[in-house]
Amino acid sequence: MAATASWQPQEEGFNSICALLQHQISPSSDKSQIWQQLQHFSNFPDFNNYLVFILARAEGQSVEVRQAAGLLLKNNLRTAFGSMTSAYQLYIKSELLPCLGAADRHIRSTAGTIISVLVQLAGVSGWPELLQALANCLESNDLNHMEGAMDALSKICEDVPQVLDSDVPGLVERPINLFLPKLFQFFQSPHASLRKLSLSSVNQYIMLMPAALFASMDQYLQGLFVLAHDSAAEVRKLVCAAFVQLIEVNPSFLEPHLRNVIEYMLQVNKDSDDEVALEACEFWMYDHFIFRFMSAYCDAQLPLENLREFLPRLIPILLSNMAYADDDESLAETEDDESLPDRDQDLKPRFHSSRFHGSDNADDDDDDIVNVWNLRKCSAAGLDVLSNVFGDEILPTMMPIVQRYHPGFFSLPDSHPPPPTVHLFLGQVAKLSTTDDGTWKEREAAVLALGAVAEGCINGLYPHLSEIVAFIIPLLDDKFPLIKSISCWTLSRFSRFIVQGIDNQKGSEQFDKVLMGLLRRILDTNKRVQEAACSAFATLEEEAAEELAPRLEVILQHLMCAFGKYQRRNLRIVYDAIATLADAVGERLNQPTYLEILMPPLIAKWQQLSNSDKDIFPLLECFTSIAQALGAGFSQFAEPVFQRCINIIQTQQLAKRFAEGHIEILRYIDPASAGVQYDKEFIVCSLDLLSGLAEGLGSGIESLVAQSSLRDLLLQCCMDDDAPDVRQSAFALLGDLARVCPVHLRPRLSDFLNVAAKQLNTSKVKETVSVANNACWAIGELAVKVRQEVSPIVLTVISCLVPILQHAEELNKSLVENSSITLGRLAWVSPEIVSVHMEHFMQSWCTALSMIRDDIEKEDAFRGLCAMVRANPSGALSSLVYMCKAIASWHEIRSEELHNEVCQVLHGYKQMLRNGAWEQCMSALEPPVKDKLSKYQV
């Protein structure tokens, strides 16, 4: 297959490759052997020429063979195009362009895909013939040419839209300026395929919003409103998607048309095509949409009534869409399947959240038990959004409609009639207790609706929640698994109310009924019910906290029974429920009776799993919470847990070095660990468990640290530039160890301090804010323990903390808090170094200090403030008002010593400032601040 000046295929090579491609598409072929042969052919420099020739010109071959050649060419070009000769590159390009008008649409489509890949690799500036060919095809009256060009253009717009919105040498205008008018013209094409492709292409530019589209917005919107009633469902779906994106990007575009858009969305929600209805439903549930939507109304001074008037039509659509469709995949999950092992594809991806020291790293838990986005879930989410916007107003609109669609409400005694809305609402709830098999989907949807409005309509429902909960409890034992599972979820949405009533006998009895009902469902024989019950119970645990302590034995018995019977997927949820229980009840868990139930099964599982089994992740997380809860009570289990964490970290670090090509480390690898694939999550989970041990055992962990290699392993983790989450957990552990056994860090103290300070580099803070946050906190913890030994890095750290404080409004709240605390701690231990520079940061520092809640860390920061003022009183004079506000932010300084120091500081300045200067300073303070300062007798 030698190259010639004007390339032509050799017949033998052509036939061999065609035969190989024919075998490749055969279902019974030996794929590995074919792959080896293709690898052999790929060594010839003109192999890709043969592939494009087969795609473009081999009309004697089947379309399948020609398409296979094209797809292989596409994959090859991704890696080989840059190394090909320019002659071969030009040959491939020249053969592709005529394919745009091929008679077979598969050939056209494959050519369009390859063209898009080439544009991704080399842009359009080096292929001027492409833009001209696309334009010529679009202007022809031949359907094949128009469709082929439009297909290629839509793929370019989807894959690399920015390429067409860039300046191209030799062109007066950007390509998008030339193509956009043509795309708008095709909105009116008689061919649905062209309308779909043209609209899809334009939609790709909504987020980028090039100047050409912005200037043509009116024409685009007119086209959308015309296409909104298109006969093709795929086109109508794209119209819905466009409206959603426009609302997100800039609601002002649609402000003049909001009523028409809402009207259209209501109409399309009834669309017989489910995918179109799904897109419309997302219009209502997008998180950003509702805020932007409200903003658009406010900016245009439009009253909410414009939206409110549509509620009577929108709500019944949402309610009807919330019932399971007959072909819903979830209907297959209704058998007793607890004994069926989970397949690997049944296991959801799990993501461990690295340990974070601060106030605002809470995960956004998804409390919805429906894990696949479908029309049902979107409708429930939409109802949730509306309830949060309109609150209790939704109930008078919603309940009569529900009654109309679900007849058979019961009547309450006329002697004590509730408000009309709640009368209807309770009537609907009563309907839930019927056992008519034919209406189970409607009953299930009604329970889902209750849960959907639980948060937004809580004020209107609150007086009657006891009755609502009482009606739902029996549904936990319904014959239909999907009713049982949704009842678990809906009860979890009312968890706060259920727990609040525990102080009275009736409320306590209802709490116990809910608790026992969920525990029964945790032991259900259906996996979906198990999952819903465990998740609901975890939510109840968080609300109930110490109220669970008297019920711990029965809870643990049920959880550990589930632990023994669950398959892999739901086992993870049991781990989470156990961990949440430990967090909720704390040291109350440290009783022999409870530990005898809890620990043996967990330890057995711990011993069963290998160090490279990913199923150990949730167990490590579970042990972290248990260790923190038990405190010193965990010491009997600590040594093997600690040592295994060390082994896992060591094995993973060796595996990483081996993966990086350091073959020499093979001599250090234990044979049992040979072949372990590096996975940083093993390190992260192990570091976090060690942090849990340090927090739980306190100084009791010292002997374990002393006999281990933890210090050096931890330093390696702190220096792991490739894995921010490893560094994040490593610095959290560094801070925890600094608290309880700083003596074992001293031999490498300067290394720890330097690498921690490096994380605060201003240019990196925004990229890895959680790492910087934990490193900052760790420096502060080390400072108060080793005192003067931090002196060498004090100025380096201060120079990084000051910009953070000066740009506090742009950064993570917790990082700002920890920066202000650490700066104060450094000032406390090295006031002679820090006070020299205090005038440069006092205002921003004091502002940050005033935002911190009262605790021991804030006390340390104010000790630093007092120490600096003593060392350099004049340095704070220009910021005295800010300092007074920071002092006034205390509700109460519990340390008498610190209280006296603050008094001395204020009195010192009062004596220093004479001739009315002190009074002038006080006059700049708000009355509440002056009132709080009065406790210091100034």
Side-chain angles (χ1 to χ4, degrees), residues 22 25 54-55 58-70 103-108 110:
Q22 185 65 54
I25 62 178
I54 294 170
L55 172 68
E59 296 183 358
Q61 299 292 326
S62 68
V63 170
E64 291 77 15
V65 167
R66 296 172 64 189
Q67 191 174 15
D104 189 279
R105 66 181 180 85
H106 297 97
I107 302 300
R108 298 196 299 269
T110 303

Side-chain angles (χ1 to χ4, degrees), residues 6 82 128 156 279 315 470 474 517 623 627 744 814 819 821:
S6 178
I156 294 171
E279 285 285 350
I315 290 173
F623 268 139
H744 297 297
S814 186
S819 296
I821 290 167

Side-chain angles (χ1 to χ4, degrees), residues 695-814:
E695 186 176 326
L697 298 177
S699 59
I701 200 175
E702 188 171 349
S703 61
L704 297 174
V705 176
Q707 300 169 23
S708 73
S709 57
L710 176 58
R711 179 179 59 239
D712 294 333
L713 290 174
L714 180 58
L715 183 58
Q716 289 182 48
C717 292
C718 289
M719 298 170 67
D720 190 344
D721 291 336
D722 298 327
D725 39 0
V726 171
R727 299 203 308 279
Q728 179 180 336
S729 290
F731 285 114
L733 177 56
L734 177 62
D736 286 323
L737 292 177
R739 283 180 158 182
V740 297
C741 56
V743 63
H744 297 297
L745 300 173
R746 274 196 162 93
R748 304 297 298 271
L749 180 62
S750 62
D751 293 325
F752 278 117
L753 288 171
N754 285 323
V755 73
K758 180 182 174 183
Q759 312 306 313
L760 301 177
N761 185 291
T762 308
S763 62
K764 296 182 178 179
V765 163
K766 287 188 177 181
E767 298 173 16
T768 53
V769 64
S770 296
V771 178
N773 177 81
N774 286 0
C776 180
W777 172 72
I779 292 171
E781 292 295 336
L782 283 166
V784 296
K785 293 296 184 180
V786 302
R787 311 291 296 180
Q788 289 295 324
E789 292 178 63
V790 302
S791 297
I793 58 96
V794 166
L795 283 181
T796 301
V797 175
I798 294 295
S799 67
C800 293
L801 297 182
V802 171
I804 293 174
L805 296 175
Q806 290 174 338
H807 299 87
E809 66 282 353
E810 304 170 15
L811 295 170
N812 175 279
K813 175 185 174 185
S814 186

